[in-house]
Amino acid sequence: MKNNTTIATLGSHSALQILKGAKDEGFRTVLIALYDKADFYRRFPFIDKVIGIAHYSDFPSVEKQLKNHTTVLVPHGSFVAYLGKEGNKKIKVPYFGNKKVLDWEEDRGLQRKWIESADILMPPEFTEKNIQFPVIVKTFGAAGGSGYFFAANKKEFMEKIRSIKSPRYVIQQYVVGVTCYLHYFYSPLINTVELMSIDRRYETNVDGMGRIPSQYQHSMQIDPSYVVVGNSSLVLRESLLPEAYAMGERIVASSKKLIDHRGLIGPFCLETIITPDQKFYAMEISCRIVAGTNLFIEGSPYSWLTYNEPMSTGRRIAREIKFAITKNKLNTVVD
Amino acid sequence: MKNNTTIATLGSHSALQILKGAKDEGFRTVLIALYDKADFYRRFPFIDKVIGIAHYSDFPSVEKQLKNHTTVLVPHGSFVAYLGKEGNKKIKVPYFGNKKVLDWEEDRGLQRKWIESADILMPPEFTEKNIQFPVIVKTFGAAGGSGYFFAANKKEFMEKIRSIKSPRYVIQQYVVGVTCYLHYFYSPLINTVELMSIDRRYETNVDGMGRIPSQYQHSMQIDPSYVVVGNSSLVLRESLLPEAYAMGERIVASSKKLIDHRGLIGPFCLETIITPDQKFYAMEISCRIVAGTNLFIEGSPYSWLTYNEPMSTGRRIAREIKFAITKNKLNTVVD
Amino acid sequence: MKNNTTIATLGSHSALQILKGAKDEGFRTVLIALYDKADFYRRFPFIDKVIGIAHYSDFPSVEKQLKNHTTVLVPHGSFVAYLGKEGNKKIKVPYFGNKKVLDWEEDRGLQRKWIESADILMPPEFTEKNIQFPVIVKTFGAAGGSGYFFAANKKEFMEKIRSIKSPRYVIQQYVVGVTCYLHYFYSPLINTVELMSIDRRYETNVDGMGRIPSQYQHSMQIDPSYVVVGNSSLVLRESLLPEAYAMGERIVASSKKLIDHRGLIGPFCLETIITPDQKFYAMEISCRIVAGTNLFIEGSPYSWLTYNEPMSTGRRIAREIKFAITKNKLNTVVD
């Protein structure tokens, strides 16, 4: 297929993976980046054009350029942070996925309704009145784990809550277990959920804390922080895979009931903790490509089971768009 | 080679890897799975046939079907858990490996005899009378680390031992170091031990424990548990590799002396802790494919050194069977 | 290209990767190894010749043999440990890289000057007089993290410093964060810095320490040690990549000003800690191939972005040498 369509995204998060995947599928590729990041992205041969901008608020002016070509915009985890939820909704260039999901993702109450309606366990949530310690406190819209805090008791909670700038936050039970981030892809064209890959986040300083002798952690006044700076790969015990797949399918089915008939489209991630009784507790859902998929530019153990070629999530998105174009069904996968 | 042979296994543990590898080597593939897992396995295009059963006790009736084709059954870590050691021995379909090894693997005393006769260090073992703390207590036949416990002193030991259901357990010294699981493959056809890959287990809750501030671990009553829910990959310092290979070779040589003249056949794993003086302490041996190899569907850093194509342990097994058939020596690798 | 050149190295550290990469690029390959490691290396089909020696002091006699072929010697992290800095300088066989860098790498004072002149943060360094705890103490020339120690206070420091054999050491502030080892390659032929891959070291016992309940670490008298026995792979948050690349470029630019006009050539590694404010603190620089690259025999997420083929750092070195030979510029990349 001669492919005259352009895939475009913003310069951050998983842009390299998205555009590498787009190029592998034969698309023209465009990146919109802040001026100080533009040169960095120009290193990569699979990016056909880098459009520099001074501020993300200049994005609407770029949109006009994008419309000169047939372009599909692929959003990632920085789109809401950079353009705002309303900014995303205003985009007129075809946008991969279903924008109605944005409202359900942003509001932690709606997220919980969605996840629980999919029969997936979540850590209990508290108000300041009924709080049971230990807890982890998460501000709304916090990006990359920054602004989260741990509190083991009331005193600690009261001290830390003062330093939080956001007036909106949730108080979750701290579930003891190990973290596991499951990356899915839902194709409405073939009506199938695929497990693309699995990662574990690498968070500073909490993932370095265990290297400090316990008798000194307190005197060193080390307080755990959860700022995500990287990812490492995982595979899951095979006996847990049927439930991992089934959770993904239930999330998609629920999204069609709760959000609209199209529901969630494309990549999403369940961010879980697995407890010693081998139960998954979902802390959050991310309704787009997550940064953990950047580990799998050349495929993951799971994608290699399904594909006889390297298949990242970024490439899977491009393939879905290509397939939609071929079938004259682009509207099925964009908004 | 037109390959008329079927490779079959049970639906769990490393079945996906085994059957993907079998298909890559040109075999017909069959999976026997409990009904509630059968649909999960039907997703995968490399599985030609999924036979659903209600209980593992129905396995003998499936065996008759398998005999209609030339079939080799490839066992994995769930075979003993599902069918019992005696159930495995009764299987009449050609069974990859040497069943005599089952007796030596199951009994921790025989395991120790075997490993130590291969000049490999093991953590000292105690009775309740001569116990020196800290220790880790492991019940016989515990699967996936469930039922293990840590005890730092007599009081803790006495409390925890009461809650253990199994009357049979070993008390091992808790060796302080880092875990390292070495995956080997011994080919009797070419009389060579290969190091296929290396992993580190991901255990809940113990691998999440270091993320909890030390001053609160005690008040939160966190007790380490060792339930394996995943794996992540490792490479070893190159100066440790000669001993890693040599340990694998000594294990095979010892197996031929202690078990029978054929000894151990195919994949096995040494589960070690490496101490700061760079010594390996083997906690256990697994005498078949281990779940950590599921990381390496497309090959590991070690398999890529040896093979110019993706080579998982599952595929290596299939290649050994194919080679044996070609040489008319299938009996050399099955029991 | 018919390639008549030999690539040679010493049998340790990353020799397998270096020679596998050399063979993939069409070179003849030779390994010089101690007799007791020679048979181990003879397993690998990509090593054309293994030359056994009794002691590394016999290396000069081997040099004569190497000169019978056109040979390029590729140094790795064990070269200084085995042959000494002066031994490396005396080598007459073409030696990949710039030997003048050896002086700047060995001396921690010069290292600091170099890294800081590249506008990269480093942990503050103390003398015994101005020490601020906690600290990590590192002896000069310590290999693989052995001999490092942690001290939380004066008493601990005084006790541990007595057991250190080396009279030369530095006292660094213990920076709380997560470790991140960035592997670069600088090609003087195309004047470009590439990020090849990223790892995290696996150190015994410190990476197993978090698995021990905090209330017992003290009574078990566990003292952290930092002996590197393996590596695991990482990817970095994409928003940190522009700075990661820029740090590599500044290191190369500084090396040309401080060391000599050629500066650093080929692979190097920045060993960093990332703090919760997402800043990199460089603890050290390694001016050659590091063992963490052994994870990426078949390429890393970063090398796959740039190359349409598997590209390890070892192979990248061989490709640089091949390119230099083709352009008749071997002297540009060897010393």
Side-chain angles (χ1 to χ4, degrees):
Chain A
M1 184 182 91
K2 177 74 177 70
N3 197 333
N4 291 311
T5 306
T6 297
I7 285 185
T9 195
L10 298 180
S12 190
H13 192 272
S14 50
L16 293 170
Q17 182 196 162
I18 289 168
L19 298 187
K20 168 71 157 61
K23 182 55 68 187
D24 287 342
E25 294 295 309
F27 288 90
R28 184 177 167 264
T29 56
V30 167
L31 186 88
I32 302 103
L34 293 183
Y35 284 129
D36 65 354
K37 289 189 169 184
D39 278 347
F40 164 71
Y41 282 105
R42 286 196 179 98
R43 295 168 183 271
F44 298 95
F46 51 82
I47 307 182
D48 293 318
K49 188 178 178 181
V50 175
I51 302 175
I53 55 176
H55 309 281
Y56 283 114
S57 54
D58 298 338
F59 181 76
S61 68
V62 176
E63 253 199 286
K64 289 168 203 159
Q65 291 183 55
L66 295 179
K67 283 193 229 157
N68 296 337
H69 292 79
T70 313
T71 299
V72 177
L73 201 60
V74 175
H76 52 56
S78 298
F79 268 58
V80 167
Y82 291 165
L83 305 177
K85 189 179 75 171
E86 294 309 316
N88 275 263
K89 288 189 175 179
K90 281 177 195 152
I91 291 170
K92 293 205 179 60
V93 175
Y95 176 104
F96 186 73
N98 179 357
K99 288 179 186 170
K100 292 209 179 62
V101 173
L102 290 169
D103 296 319
W104 286 72
E105 186 181 14
E106 189 205 40
D107 184 302
R108 287 187 186 269
L110 290 175
Q111 255 203 42
R112 176 170 288 266
K113 183 176 169 185
W114 178 11
I115 295 171
E116 291 185 341
S117 80
D119 278 329
I120 296 171
L121 296 171
M122 289 190 79
E125 210 167 278
F126 304 119
T127 64
E128 292 195 35
K129 298 207 168 166
N130 72 0
I131 193 167
Q132 291 176 40
F133 293 96
V135 296
I136 185 157
V137 180
K138 302 177 176 185
T139 50
F140 278 39
S146 148
Y148 288 14
F149 72 80
F150 172 88
N153 53 49
K154 189 82 186 174
K155 181 165 170 285
E156 205 183 353
F157 175 80
M158 294 308 292
E159 276 168 24
K160 290 183 180 175
I161 201 73
R162 270 181 230 129
S163 65
I164 291 297
K165 286 153 200 162
S166 166
R168 303 180 71 199
Y169 52 84
V170 294
I171 306 169
Q172 272 184 2
Q173 186 186 77
Y174 187 90
V175 175
V176 179
V178 291
T179 55
C180 176
Y181 293 73
L182 300 151
H183 317 148
Y184 299 94
F185 187 90
Y186 171 60
S187 163
L189 297 173
I190 57 170
N191 194 26
T192 299
V193 173
E194 299 164 40
L195 179 65
M196 298 302 298
S197 46
I198 305 177
D199 86 297
R200 169 186 189 188
R201 287 182 176 171
Y202 193 46
E203 297 171 345
T204 179
N205 62 12
V206 75
D207 283 314
M209 223 170 64
R211 290 167 54 100
I212 299 170
S214 60
Q215 62 267 37
Y216 300 120
Q217 286 186 25
H218 190 56
S219 60
M220 283 167 69
Q221 297 184 292
I222 292 168
D223 202 38
S225 57
Y226 304 88
V227 179
V228 186
V229 292
N231 305 82
S232 59
S233 65
L234 281 182
V235 293
L236 205 58
R237 187 176 185 148
E238 191 164 308
S239 60
L240 294 171
L241 282 182
E243 173 61 5
Y245 272 85
M247 288 194 300
E249 292 181 334
R250 295 197 305 264
I251 282 287
V252 170
S254 277
S255 75
K256 292 181 181 178
K257 282 183 206 155
L258 294 173
I259 301 174
D260 74 359
H261 72 282
R262 302 172 75 204
L264 178 61
I265 290 166
F268 63 101
C269 174
L270 281 174
E271 310 180 1
T272 73
I273 291 174
I274 312 178
T275 50
D277 54 356
Q278 299 190 51
K279 288 202 162 44
F280 293 96
Y281 284 79
M283 297 173 287
E284 269 179 68
I285 184 170
S286 289
C287 304
R288 61 193 42 70
I289 187 170
V290 290
T293 60
N294 290 337
L295 286 157
F296 307 105
I297 299 290
E298 191 65 7
S300 81
Y302 297 105
S303 73
W304 280 108
L305 284 175
T306 313
Y307 294 95
N308 282 316
E309 58 192 327
M311 186 57 64
S312 68
T313 294
R315 186 173 186 178
R316 184 66 188 82
I317 293 169
R319 181 158 294 184
E320 189 78 0
I321 294 169
K322 191 165 76 170
F323 189 54
I325 294 169
T326 312
K327 296 282 175 189
N328 208 15
K329 287 187 173 179
L330 186 58
N331 286 337
T332 306
V333 299
V334 302
D335 203 347
Chain B
M1 183 181 92
K2 179 74 177 72
N3 197 332
N4 291 310
T5 307
T6 297
I7 285 186
T9 194
L10 297 182
S12 190
H13 192 272
S14 49
L16 292 170
Q17 183 196 161
I18 290 167
L19 298 186
K20 169 72 158 58
K23 182 53 69 186
D24 288 342
E25 293 295 309
F27 288 90
R28 185 175 168 265
T29 56
V30 168
L31 187 87
I32 303 103
L34 293 184
Y35 283 130
D36 65 354
K37 288 189 168 183
D39 278 347
F40 164 72
Y41 282 103
R42 286 195 178 98
R43 294 168 183 271
F44 298 95
F46 52 82
I47 307 182
D48 294 318
K49 187 177 180 183
V50 175
I51 302 175
I53 55 176
H55 309 282
Y56 284 114
S57 55
D58 298 338
F59 180 77
S61 67
V62 176
E63 253 198 287
K64 288 167 204 161
Q65 291 182 56
L66 296 180
K67 284 195 230 158
N68 296 337
H69 292 80
T70 313
T71 299
V72 176
L73 201 60
V74 174
H76 53 56
S78 297
F79 267 59
V80 167
Y82 291 165
L83 304 177
K85 188 179 77 170
E86 293 310 316
N88 275 263
K89 288 190 176 179
K90 279 178 196 152
I91 291 170
K92 294 206 179 58
V93 175
Y95 178 103
F96 186 73
N98 178 356
K99 288 180 185 170
K100 293 210 178 61
V101 173
L102 291 169
D103 295 318
W104 285 72
E105 186 181 15
E106 190 205 40
D107 184 303
R108 288 187 184 271
L110 290 175
Q111 257 202 42
R112 176 170 287 266
K113 182 176 170 184
W114 178 12
I115 294 172
E116 291 186 340
S117 80
D119 277 327
I120 297 171
L121 296 170
M122 290 189 79
E125 209 167 281
F126 304 119
T127 64
E128 291 195 34
K129 296 207 168 165
N130 71 359
I131 195 165
Q132 291 176 39
F133 294 96
V135 296
I136 186 158
V137 180
K138 302 177 176 184
T139 49
F140 278 40
S146 148
Y148 288 13
F149 73 79
F150 171 88
N153 53 49
K154 189 82 185 175
K155 181 164 170 285
E156 205 183 353
F157 175 80
M158 294 308 291
E159 276 167 23
K160 289 182 179 175
I161 200 71
R162 268 181 231 127
S163 65
I164 291 297
K165 284 155 201 161
S166 167
R168 302 180 71 199
Y169 53 84
V170 292
I171 307 170
Q172 272 184 2
Q173 185 186 76
Y174 187 89
V175 174
V176 178
V178 291
T179 54
C180 176
Y181 293 73
L182 300 151
H183 317 148
Y184 299 94
F185 187 89
Y186 171 60
S187 163
L189 297 173
I190 57 171
N191 193 26
T192 297
V193 173
E194 299 166 38
L195 178 66
M196 297 303 297
S197 47
I198 305 177
D199 86 299
R200 171 185 186 188
R201 287 183 176 171
Y202 194 47
E203 297 172 344
T204 178
N205 64 11
V206 76
D207 283 314
M209 224 170 63
R211 291 167 54 101
I212 299 170
S214 60
Q215 61 268 38
Y216 300 120
Q217 285 186 26
H218 189 57
S219 61
M220 283 167 70
Q221 298 184 289
I222 291 168
D223 202 40
S225 57
Y226 304 89
V227 179
V228 186
V229 291
N231 305 82
S232 59
S233 65
L234 280 182
V235 293
L236 206 57
R237 185 176 187 149
E238 191 165 308
S239 59
L240 293 172
L241 281 183
E243 173 62 4
Y245 273 85
M247 288 193 300
E249 292 180 335
R250 295 197 303 264
I251 282 288
V252 170
S254 277
S255 76
K256 291 181 182 179
K257 281 183 209 154
L258 294 173
I259 301 175
D260 73 359
H261 72 282
R262 303 172 74 203
L264 179 60
I265 291 166
F268 63 101
C269 174
L270 281 174
E271 311 180 1
T272 73
I273 292 174
I274 311 178
T275 50
D277 54 356
Q278 299 190 51
K279 288 202 162 45
F280 293 95
Y281 284 80
M283 298 172 287
E284 269 179 67
I285 185 171
S286 289
C287 303
R288 58 191 46 69
I289 187 170
V290 289
T293 60
N294 289 338
L295 286 156
F296 307 105
I297 299 291
E298 192 66 5
S300 81
Y302 297 106
S303 72
W304 280 108
L305 284 175
T306 313
Y307 294 95
N308 281 316
E309 59 192 327
M311 186 58 63
S312 68
T313 294
R315 187 173 184 178
R316 184 66 188 82
I317 293 169
R319 181 158 294 184
E320 188 78 1
I321 295 169
K322 191 165 77 172
F323 189 54
I325 293 169
T326 312
K327 297 282 174 188
N328 208 15
K329 287 186 173 180
L330 186 58
N331 286 338
T332 307
V333 299
V334 303
D335 204 347
Chain C
M1 183 181 92
K2 178 73 178 71
N3 198 332
N4 291 312
T5 307
T6 297
I7 285 185
T9 194
L10 297 181
S12 190
H13 192 270
S14 49
L16 293 170
Q17 183 196 160
I18 290 168
L19 298 186
K20 169 71 157 60
K23 182 54 68 188
D24 288 342
E25 293 296 309
F27 288 90
R28 183 174 168 267
T29 56
V30 167
L31 186 88
I32 303 104
L34 293 183
Y35 284 129
D36 65 354
K37 288 189 169 184
D39 278 346
F40 165 71
Y41 282 103
R42 287 196 178 97
R43 294 167 184 271
F44 298 96
F46 52 81
I47 306 182
D48 294 318
K49 188 177 178 182
V50 175
I51 302 175
I53 55 176
H55 309 284
Y56 283 115
S57 54
D58 299 337
F59 180 76
S61 67
V62 176
E63 253 198 288
K64 289 168 203 161
Q65 291 182 55
L66 296 180
K67 282 195 233 159
N68 297 337
H69 292 78
T70 313
T71 299
V72 176
L73 200 60
V74 174
H76 52 56
S78 297
F79 268 59
V80 167
Y82 292 165
L83 304 178
K85 190 179 74 171
E86 294 310 316
N88 276 262
K89 288 190 175 179
K90 279 180 197 152
I91 291 171
K92 293 205 178 61
V93 175
Y95 177 104
F96 186 73
N98 178 355
K99 288 180 186 170
K100 293 211 178 59
V101 173
L102 290 169
D103 295 319
W104 285 73
E105 186 182 14
E106 190 206 38
D107 184 302
R108 287 187 186 270
L110 291 174
Q111 256 203 44
R112 176 171 289 265
K113 183 176 170 185
W114 177 14
I115 295 172
E116 290 185 341
S117 80
D119 278 328
I120 296 170
L121 297 170
M122 289 189 79
E125 210 167 277
F126 305 120
T127 64
E128 291 196 36
K129 297 206 167 166
N130 71 359
I131 194 165
Q132 291 175 41
F133 293 97
V135 296
I136 186 158
V137 180
K138 301 176 176 185
T139 49
F140 278 39
S146 149
Y148 288 13
F149 72 80
F150 172 88
N153 53 48
K154 189 82 185 174
K155 181 163 170 287
E156 207 183 351
F157 175 80
M158 294 307 293
E159 277 169 22
K160 289 182 180 176
I161 200 71
R162 267 182 233 130
S163 65
I164 292 297
K165 284 155 203 162
S166 167
R168 305 180 69 199
Y169 53 84
V170 294
I171 306 170
Q172 273 186 1
Q173 187 186 73
Y174 187 89
V175 175
V176 178
V178 292
T179 55
C180 176
Y181 293 73
L182 300 151
H183 317 148
Y184 299 94
F185 187 90
Y186 171 60
S187 163
L189 297 173
I190 57 171
N191 193 27
T192 297
V193 173
E194 299 166 38
L195 179 66
M196 298 302 299
S197 46
I198 305 177
D199 86 298
R200 170 185 187 188
R201 287 184 177 170
Y202 193 47
E203 297 171 346
T204 180
N205 62 16
V206 75
D207 282 315
M209 224 171 63
R211 290 166 55 101
I212 299 171
S214 60
Q215 62 268 36
Y216 300 121
Q217 285 185 26
H218 189 57
S219 61
M220 282 167 70
Q221 297 183 290
I222 291 169
D223 202 38
S225 57
Y226 303 89
V227 179
V228 186
V229 291
N231 306 82
S232 60
S233 65
L234 280 181
V235 294
L236 206 58
R237 188 174 183 149
E238 190 164 307
S239 59
L240 294 171
L241 281 183
E243 173 61 5
Y245 273 84
M247 288 193 300
E249 291 180 336
R250 296 197 304 264
I251 282 287
V252 170
S254 277
S255 74
K256 290 181 183 181
K257 282 183 208 154
L258 294 174
I259 301 175
D260 74 358
H261 71 283
R262 303 171 75 203
L264 179 61
I265 291 166
F268 63 102
C269 175
L270 282 173
E271 311 181 0
T272 73
I273 291 174
I274 311 177
T275 50
D277 54 357
Q278 299 190 51
K279 289 201 162 46
F280 293 95
Y281 284 79
M283 297 172 288
E284 269 179 66
I285 184 171
S286 290
C287 304
R288 59 191 44 70
I289 186 170
V290 290
T293 61
N294 289 338
L295 284 156
F296 306 106
I297 299 289
E298 191 66 5
S300 81
Y302 297 105
S303 72
W304 280 108
L305 284 174
T306 313
Y307 294 95
N308 282 316
E309 57 192 328
M311 187 56 65
S312 68
T313 293
R315 186 173 184 177
R316 184 66 188 81
I317 294 169
R319 181 158 294 184
E320 189 77 1
I321 295 170
K322 191 164 77 172
F323 189 54
I325 293 170
T326 311
K327 296 283 175 189
N328 208 14
K329 288 186 173 180
L330 186 58
N331 286 338
T332 305
V333 300
V334 303
D335 205 347

